Amino acid sequence: MSQENEHVQCLIIGSGPAGYTAAIYAARADLKPIMYTGMQAGGQLTQTTDVENFPGYPQGIMGPEMMEDFRKQAERFGTDIRFGYVSSVDFSSAPHKVVVDEIKTITADTVIIATGATAKWLGLPSEQQYNGFGVSACAVCDGFFFKGQDVAIVGAGDTAAEEATYLAKLCKTVHLLVRRDEFRASKAMVSRVLATPNIVVHYNTETQEILGNGKNVTAVKVLNNKTGVESDIAVEGFFVAIGHKPNTDIFKGQLDMDETGYLATKPGSTLTNIEGVFACGDVQDMYYRQAVTAAGSGCMAALDAERYLGAKEHPVEA
């Protein structure tokens, strides 16, 4: 099958809060952006139920509905939003080459990467069954819904320790399930966990199943891998904190990234190591991972792209 070809000023890869916000700003700057949504249009928030911590929605909003609002606003200013995935890139020369769906080749003066990150899950069927109905991969996003209740969180690293202490401020009891007989978290984080009275640490504990009544989580079945004893822990919420995987595989060998795959950007900007390529949202943010911070960095990426193109069009003479 012969490839189609197209040239654009600004190509946006990904469609979560970062991508859509970049699109809004790029379109208003008359960069005529084209966005490819990826296979999950709207990103992680399309799998989220209530969003209550995004400014401008005083009554809260469902994640998919919020992403639909973002999409409509981006389209209103002229963003060309297309369903499809980027299968390969070549940033070795300008303009940058991007192949979509393994068929269409696009050359772009600027590329904004907003491909996000994907939460790692345990792989249990019940995990997906109750996702959004008691199961979550973001304590900061969803902890409020479990105020005064008993919850469990699985993980042993800094993220799990940090989220456990966050939940402890809201919840009655936090059961922290650690698969080994020790944490992987830093000593400072472990000390903080052990000093929090309503965090109960269960060492050598593996999650067997998340139990529920068909509507909501009611307990978690666990196995002590030292004794072989199974037991149920009554909880109303179950949080997975075993890490995230940034969606950056296609950029390996071309863009600088850390050891876990998050794209490296220059401090205070969205600039990558390649001129004209910008990264925003969770694909370059392993610390905050919030919709509002992703949207803010999407704004930054569009402004960085606009300034880059302006400097190319009107270079400053020495």
Side-chain angles (χ1 to χ4, degrees):
M1 186 179 295
S2 62
Q3 290 190 338
E4 305 172 53
N5 294 284
E6 182 179 8
H7 180 77
V8 301
Q9 281 190 87
C10 179
L11 176 67
I12 300 171
I13 307 173
S15 57
Y20 281 136
T21 304
I24 291 166
Y25 275 79
R28 284 172 57 84
D30 200 31
L31 301 187
K32 299 177 175 59
I34 289 176
M35 167 189 282
Y36 278 93
T37 63
M39 300 309 290
Q40 187 180 5
Q44 291 186 81
L45 278 182
T46 59
Q47 296 183 320
T48 303
T49 51
D50 297 297
V51 178
E52 294 196 329
N53 56 3
F54 198 94
Y57 294 97
Q59 304 305 316
I61 189 170
M62 300 294 281
E65 185 183 352
M66 187 168 100
M67 286 299 91
E68 183 66 10
D69 286 347
F70 273 54
R71 183 187 67 79
K72 288 176 180 177
Q73 191 171 359
E75 287 183 325
R76 175 189 164 204
F77 295 113
T79 304
D80 183 350
I81 299 176
R82 305 172 181 178
F83 181 76
Y85 74 98
V86 171
S87 47
S88 64
V89 299
D90 181 358
F91 296 150
S92 61
S93 60
H96 305 299
K97 293 180 182 177
V98 173
V99 177
V100 178
D101 297 330
E102 301 180 359
I103 297 172
K104 182 183 182 73
T105 298
I106 293 179
T107 56
D109 296 324
T110 59
V111 177
I112 294 176
I113 298 170
T115 50
T118 303
K120 295 179 182 178
W121 297 96
L122 298 173
L124 303 172
S126 55
E127 194 176 40
Q128 296 309 311
Q129 178 185 355
Y130 289 106
N131 190 1
F133 299 93
V135 173
S136 170
C138 181
V140 176
C141 309
D142 299 327
F144 178 81
F145 300 115
F146 301 93
K147 197 170 185 179
Q149 300 178 3
D150 295 331
V151 301
I153 181 167
V154 59
D158 280 342
T159 298
E162 186 173 356
E163 295 203 343
T165 54
Y166 174 84
L167 290 169
K169 298 173 185 177
L170 302 169
C171 302
K172 182 180 176 183
T173 305
V174 178
H175 297 275
L176 179 54
L177 313 180
V178 179
R179 188 168 56 88
R180 296 161 54 192
D181 58 2
E182 61 181 359
F183 285 87
R184 288 185 291 103
S186 64
K187 288 184 178 180
M189 289 305 303
V190 173
S191 296
R192 193 181 303 177
V193 166
L194 298 179
T196 305
N198 61 331
I199 296 179
V200 179
V201 181
H202 301 260
Y203 294 104
N204 301 305
T205 299
E206 297 181 20
T207 302
Q208 297 292 91
E209 203 63 76
I210 299 159
L211 307 177
N213 57 16
K215 294 182 179 179
N216 301 294
V217 170
T218 59
V220 55
K221 182 183 289 295
V222 297
L223 169 71
N224 185 301
N225 55 32
K226 276 277 183 76
T227 65
V229 175
E230 284 188 345
S231 59
D232 294 350
I233 303 173
V235 294
E236 286 130 314
F238 182 83
F239 292 85
V240 182
I242 58 176
H244 285 71
K245 182 184 185 303
N247 302 318
T248 56
D249 286 350
I250 61 171
F251 308 117
K252 286 180 179 176
Q254 302 199 55
L255 295 178
D256 290 345
M257 54 185 73
D258 68 13
E259 64 277 2
T260 55
Y262 284 90
L263 296 183
T265 51
K266 296 180 181 177
S269 78
T270 62
L271 279 66
T272 68
N273 59 299
I274 300 292
E275 273 198 13
V277 179
F278 310 90
C280 56
D282 286 9
V283 76
Q284 54 84 53
D285 172 23
M286 66 181 296
Y287 297 106
Y288 299 106
R289 297 197 303 266
Q290 300 298 302
V292 68
T293 53
S297 68
C299 162
M300 292 168 60
L303 294 176
D304 285 342
E306 180 189 6
R307 289 166 183 163
Y308 169 80
L309 290 172
K312 287 290 184 184
E313 186 177 349
H314 303 289
V316 177
E317 295 183 5

